[in-house]
Amino acid sequence: NAGVTQTPKFQVLKTGQSMTLQCAQDMNHNSMYWYRQDPGMGLRLIYYSASEGTTDKGEVPNGYNVSRLNKREFSLRLESAAPSQTSVYFCASRAGGGAGELFFGEGSRLTVL
Amino acid sequence: GIQVEQSPPDLILQEGANSTLRCNFSDSVNNLQWFHQNPWGQLINLFYIPSGTKQNGRLSATTVATERYSLLYISSSQTTDSGVYFCAAASTSGTYKYIFGTGTRLKVLA
């Protein structure tokens, strides 16, 4: 099984450009998450989706939108990228029901010039 | 929301030494997990441990939920243990909001 797959792995944007990070999981998990990790820092929760059809804000949602397309896929969109959004973005999934381990993808490194 | 704090922030060990990493959390939890982020940036699941004690080889973890802390023990450390160790927790009142601590950066010297 692939687990959690993120695309693209690397992306360079100019300020003001838009882009979408894609995440897909093949573990039949209900909950999915997007985090960002700045250099030398911990992971901060951007948005999460407890189940298909629901999304909620995390710690740092400003400047981002999300879509839970179906049970497998959860995308993160930057409408107008800013240099402050330069970071490594991680997607994760969990079986759900209020308990269970998080499983992470390998990350997407985004640079905004 | 829940606050998660880790200590120490940095740790340098000689190969073969033992260490204890601590994670304090501000609220009752029903989810707690330890991760290792390797030098390539991958997040490796170590333990899912909302309560009790678990062991996996040289690593073990204990969570005392009533006192709101968790400990990760590394025995006979190896250079491959180097990296950053994170704990993450979700409270009973915010079950889906999994919040990370700021991590402990471990360097094991040969």
Side-chain angles (χ1 to χ4, degrees), chain A residues 39-105:
Chain A
M41 306 284 285
L43 280 75
R44 292 184 291 170
L45 180 62
I46 305 172
Y47 271 94
Y48 65 98
S49 170
S51 60
E52 186 178 355
T54 70
T55 60
D56 279 292
K57 295 178 181 179
E59 302 170 278
V60 288
N62 291 346
Y64 304 96
N65 288 303
V66 290
S67 295
R68 183 75 184 266
L69 304 170
N70 48 54
K71 191 172 185 179
R72 289 187 64 248
E73 298 172 291
F74 189 38
S75 63
L76 179 72
R77 183 160 178 84
L78 288 69
E79 291 291 351
S80 180
S84 60
Q85 294 177 305
T86 294
S87 192
V88 180
Y89 291 84
F90 287 96
C91 178
S93 71
R94 189 168 69 138
E101 295 179 68
L102 279 176
F103 292 90
F104 278 89

Side-chain angles (χ1 to χ4, degrees), chain A residues 2 12-13 18-19 29 31 38 42 49-50 54 78 94-95 97-98 104 107 112:
Chain A
V12 179
L13 293 177
S18 62
M19 76 156 300
H29 285 172
S31 303
D38 298 332
S49 170
T54 70
L78 288 69
R94 189 168 69 138
F104 278 89
V112 183

Side-chain angles (χ1 to χ4, degrees), chain A residues 101, chain B residues 46-56 59-63 73:
Chain A
E101 295 179 68
Chain B
L46 295 178
F47 295 102
Y48 174 73
I49 186 166
S51 63
T53 297
K54 290 186 177 179
Q55 181 157 7
N56 184 4
L59 273 60
S60 63
T62 295
T63 297
Y73 305 97

Side-chain angles (χ1 to χ4, degrees), chain B residues 13-75:
Chain B
L13 300 174
Q14 285 296 134
E15 202 167 26
N18 302 328
S19 60
T20 301
L21 282 58
R22 187 175 179 104
C23 173
N24 291 333
F25 39 91
S26 62
D27 202 354
S28 300
V29 298
N30 57 2
N31 291 279
L32 189 128
Q33 209 166 336
W34 284 95
F35 297 87
H36 175 216
Q37 188 168 40
N38 64 23
W40 296 270
Q42 291 178 307
L43 285 158
I44 311 297
N45 288 20
L46 295 178
F47 295 102
Y48 174 73
I49 186 166
S51 63
T53 297
K54 290 186 177 179
Q55 181 157 7
N56 184 4
R58 297 182 295 105
L59 273 60
S60 63
T62 295
T63 297
V64 184
T66 53
E67 297 188 22
R68 301 185 181 175
Y69 71 89
S70 183
L71 302 174
L72 178 69
Y73 305 97
I74 304 174
S75 64

Side-chain angles (χ1 to χ4, degrees), chain B residues 66-88:
Chain B
T66 53
E67 297 188 22
R68 301 185 181 175
Y69 71 89
S70 183
L71 302 174
L72 178 69
Y73 305 97
I74 304 174
S75 64
S76 305
S77 57
Q78 300 175 357
T79 56
T80 52
D81 295 331
S82 296
V84 185
Y85 290 81
F86 290 107
C87 71

